[in-house]
């Protein structure tokens, strides 16, 4: 895979695809977490230092499905980038039909939200050609979108020579499980088993122990013939769960925090095999937290993906917060992936204590599952 080192950017126009999909406050439209924008800065600075004629940055925010949505315009992103870079960033009113010669004095240009055009998500060749026409070189620094075959990520690689940016380089290096030092302990949470199966399977091969939490554990208990009350269960994946249960690396929590349907009453901890009918399992209990900590103490590498309980509502965020804090203090290689996991670590302020926090949700899941990322495959195949 070509990297920034393989190109001479001097006097060139560079088109950089970045992860600009940042969370915004629905009421004020303000950016609530600029983590992804900060990760774009080193690549932007690197390219600027190489004497480029112009740097054109493009990206998407949310999924406006081909329509212009005021709240999803890139103005706030442009303002934040200006702050982070200490340089002017000119934002265009659309991402296509830009007359660059009329913007000759602008060094950094930010294109409007790519997903205001349905062609972006359709991987449309004509749309990709229009974007490619702005530049001499393409840089993909949008790791979180690398699992999407979208025009600015995939089709575009046919029309411009290109390489990956510094963030994508880092992500690919840090999420390569074959290079991680053993013993590896994977701690995997989240609600839907369906989306996590390939990753759990991969970890059962590559890691030394796999600790499961989050609502997906109820599918495993159910597969074992246990009562799970009204807890979430992916009935279509019971057979997958049964097969994985035979693997002795798999560790399930010993106790569960339950509550009644209102989530306000009946909050108590019960053993995993004593969940009463009618209740919901919402977090793992104290005994499981201790069980997980003792497994984590033996690790040289820890991989964490997914919340351990229903974090959106207190007190069901307790195990996640406690394990995040504990992992922060562990002296080992600590890798965290997945949008929710990264958000939680940032919100709790433990980000500095992790070796690497992936900027990707779906993309990091696919990479950790051992799958290739379509956008990077296209760049490699078409890279000139
Ligand atoms: C993400 O937030 O994971 C990326 O921006 C990709 O977004 P998407 O899931 O809407 O394609």
């Amino acid at each position: 895979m070509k990297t920034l080192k393989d190109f001479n950017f001097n006097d060139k126009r560079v088109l950089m695809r970045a992860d600009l999909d940042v969370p915004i406050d629905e009421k004020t439209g303000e950016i609530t977490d600029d983590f992804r924008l900060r990760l774009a800065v080193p690549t932007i600075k690197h390219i600027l230092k190489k004497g480029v004629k112009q740097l054109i940055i493009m990206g998407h925010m949310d999924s406006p499905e081909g329509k212009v949505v005021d709240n999803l315009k890139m103005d706030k992103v442009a303002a934040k980038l200006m702050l982070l870079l200490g340089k002017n960033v000119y934002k265009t009113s659309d991402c296509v039909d830009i007359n660059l010669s009329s913007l000759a004095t602008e060094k950094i240009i930010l294109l409007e939200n790519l997903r205001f055009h349905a062609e972006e998500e359709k991987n449309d060749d004509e749309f990709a050609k229009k974007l490619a026409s702005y530049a001499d070189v393409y840089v993909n620094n949008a790791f979180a979108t690398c699992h999407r075959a979208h025009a600015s990520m995939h089709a575009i690689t046919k029309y411009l020579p290109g390489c990956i940016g510094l963030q994508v380089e880092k992500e690919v290096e840090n999420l390569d499980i074959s290079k991680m030092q053993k013993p590896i302990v994977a701690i995997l949470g989240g609600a839907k088993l369906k989306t996590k199966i390939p990753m759990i399977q991969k970890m059962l091969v590559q890691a030394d122990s796999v600790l499961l939490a989050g609502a997906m554990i109820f599918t495993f208990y159910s597969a074992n013939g246990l009562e799970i009350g009204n807890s979430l269960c992916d009935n279509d994946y019971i057979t997958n769960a049964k097969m994985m249960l035979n693997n002795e690396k798999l560790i399930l929590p010993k106790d569960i925090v339950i509550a009644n349907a209102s989530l306000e009453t009946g909050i108590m901890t019960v053993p995993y095999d004593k969940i009463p009918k009618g209740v919901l399992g919402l977090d793992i209990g104290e005994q499981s937290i201790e069980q997980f900590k003792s497994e984590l103490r033996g690790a040289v590498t820890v991989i964490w993906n997914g919340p351990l309980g229903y974090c959106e509502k207190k007190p069901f965020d307790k195990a996640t917060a406690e394990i995040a804090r504990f992992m922060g203090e562990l002296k080992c290689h600590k890798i965290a992936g997945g949008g929710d996991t990264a958000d939680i670590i940032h919100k709790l302020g433990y980000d500095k204590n992790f070796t690497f926090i992936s900027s990707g949700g779906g993309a990091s899941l696919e990479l950790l599952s051992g799958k290739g990322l379509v956008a990077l495959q296209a760049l490699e195949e078409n890279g000139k």
Side-chain angles (χ1 to χ4, degrees):
M1 185 90 59
K2 289 200 170 128
T3 65
L4 296 177
K5 289 190 209 89
D6 296 306
F7 284 89
N8 175 3
F9 294 108
N10 190 38
D11 210 27
K12 296 277 190 327
R13 281 204 172 104
V14 178
L15 180 62
M16 170 176 158
R17 176 56 159 100
D19 277 324
L20 308 176
D21 191 17
V22 286
I24 50 169
D25 184 299
E26 272 178 31
K27 282 191 197 122
T28 61
E30 292 301 327
I31 295 170
T32 54
D33 186 352
D34 63 0
F35 166 57
R36 285 184 170 167
L37 302 185
R38 283 184 277 118
L39 294 181
V41 169
T43 303
I44 296 175
K45 284 191 171 162
H46 178 104
I47 293 169
L48 291 175
K49 258 199 211 150
K50 301 288 172 184
V52 286
K53 185 187 276 175
Q54 256 172 343
L55 171 62
I56 302 129
I57 304 171
M58 60 177 175
H60 75 273
M61 207 197 277
D62 217 320
S63 296
E65 295 177 347
K67 292 185 202 77
V68 176
V69 174
D70 279 343
N71 238 1
L72 300 179
K73 286 188 171 170
M74 290 291 182
D75 302 75
K76 295 269 164 53
V77 170
K80 193 56 126 185
L81 282 176
M82 276 196 256
L83 265 179
L84 293 170
L85 294 165
K87 291 187 189 319
N88 194 49
V89 175
Y90 179 90
K91 202 219 71 160
T92 61
S93 56
D94 197 354
C95 61
V96 287
D97 304 323
I98 311 294
N99 181 356
L100 283 180
S101 51
S102 70
L103 299 173
T105 56
E106 303 294 344
K107 193 60 133 189
I108 311 173
I109 295 171
L110 173 66
L111 303 184
E112 187 50 278
N113 195 338
L114 294 163
R115 291 193 186 171
F116 286 172
H117 292 262
E119 292 90 336
E120 162 65 359
E121 293 187 65
K122 289 185 183 147
N123 204 17
D124 183 88
D125 275 308
E126 292 310 310
F127 184 72
K129 267 189 215 166
K130 282 187 191 171
L131 299 173
S133 72
Y134 302 145
D136 308 296
V137 185
Y138 166 71
V139 175
N140 176 350
N141 200 45
F143 174 75
T145 321
C146 279
H147 58 314
R148 304 283 184 217
H150 292 173
S152 67
M153 301 293 302
H154 192 273
I156 197 162
T157 60
K158 290 185 258 179
Y159 308 110
L160 270 183
C163 64
I164 53 173
L166 299 173
Q167 184 58 29
V168 174
E169 211 179 328
K170 258 195 199 173
E171 297 267 4
V172 171
E173 247 173 55
N174 279 286
L175 298 181
D176 183 349
I177 192 165
S178 68
K179 291 196 186 134
M180 293 177 191
Q181 277 198 321
K182 284 178 156 276
I184 302 171
V185 176
I187 176 160
L188 311 175
K192 285 199 179 142
L193 177 60
K194 179 185 173 186
T195 57
K196 304 275 172 151
I197 290 173
M199 185 175 55
I200 302 173
Q201 284 170 335
K202 176 83 177 172
M203 294 299 158
L204 285 173
V205 176
Q206 301 272 8
D208 298 275
S209 38
V210 180
L211 315 177
L212 291 192
M216 66 174 167
I217 53 176
F218 299 107
T219 308
F220 287 87
Y221 294 142
S222 182
N224 232 350
L226 296 171
E227 173 64 52
I228 58 164
N230 290 343
S231 310
L232 279 184
C233 182
D234 274 351
N235 284 317
D236 295 343
Y237 296 92
I238 292 273
T239 316
N240 301 69
K242 259 190 193 149
M243 280 161 65
M244 291 190 269
L245 278 172
N246 292 328
N247 193 314
E248 57 188 23
K249 288 183 187 173
L250 195 85
I251 298 172
L252 285 163
K254 289 196 166 88
D255 57 348
I256 303 295
V257 179
I258 56 165
N260 294 326
S262 67
L263 309 188
E264 304 288 346
T265 58
I267 301 174
M268 64 172 97
T269 303
V270 295
Y272 74 98
D273 53 357
K274 300 266 176 332
I275 299 176
K277 281 197 169 62
V279 302
L280 291 166
L282 295 156
D283 199 6
I284 63 171
E286 289 289 347
Q287 216 191 327
S288 311
I289 296 175
E290 290 312 313
Q291 171 195 10
F292 281 19
K293 282 182 184 172
S294 101
E295 288 292 330
L296 291 167
R297 278 189 197 102
V300 169
T301 306
V302 176
I303 304 169
W304 180 20
N305 177 287
L308 310 188
Y310 183 50
C311 277
E312 291 84 344
K313 188 158 169 57
K314 280 182 190 299
F316 311 114
D317 58 343
K318 193 172 166 203
T320 308
E322 178 53 19
I323 291 292
R325 190 201 58 74
F326 179 78
M327 277 180 62
E329 284 172 7
L330 271 183
K331 299 269 172 288
C332 70
H333 204 73
K334 293 163 279 186
I335 309 291
D340 292 339
T341 320
D343 280 357
I344 292 163
I345 297 169
H346 284 123
K347 273 190 198 128
L348 293 170
Y350 299 139
D351 41 324
K352 300 262 174 332
N353 301 341
F354 278 74
T355 317
F356 185 73
I357 302 176
S358 174
S359 59
S364 69
L365 207 62
E366 293 208 5
L367 207 54
L368 287 171
S369 308
K371 288 192 199 159
L373 295 169
V374 280
L376 299 186
Q377 283 160 349
L379 191 59
E380 199 145 41
E381 276 160 29
N382 297 317
K384 299 167 193 109

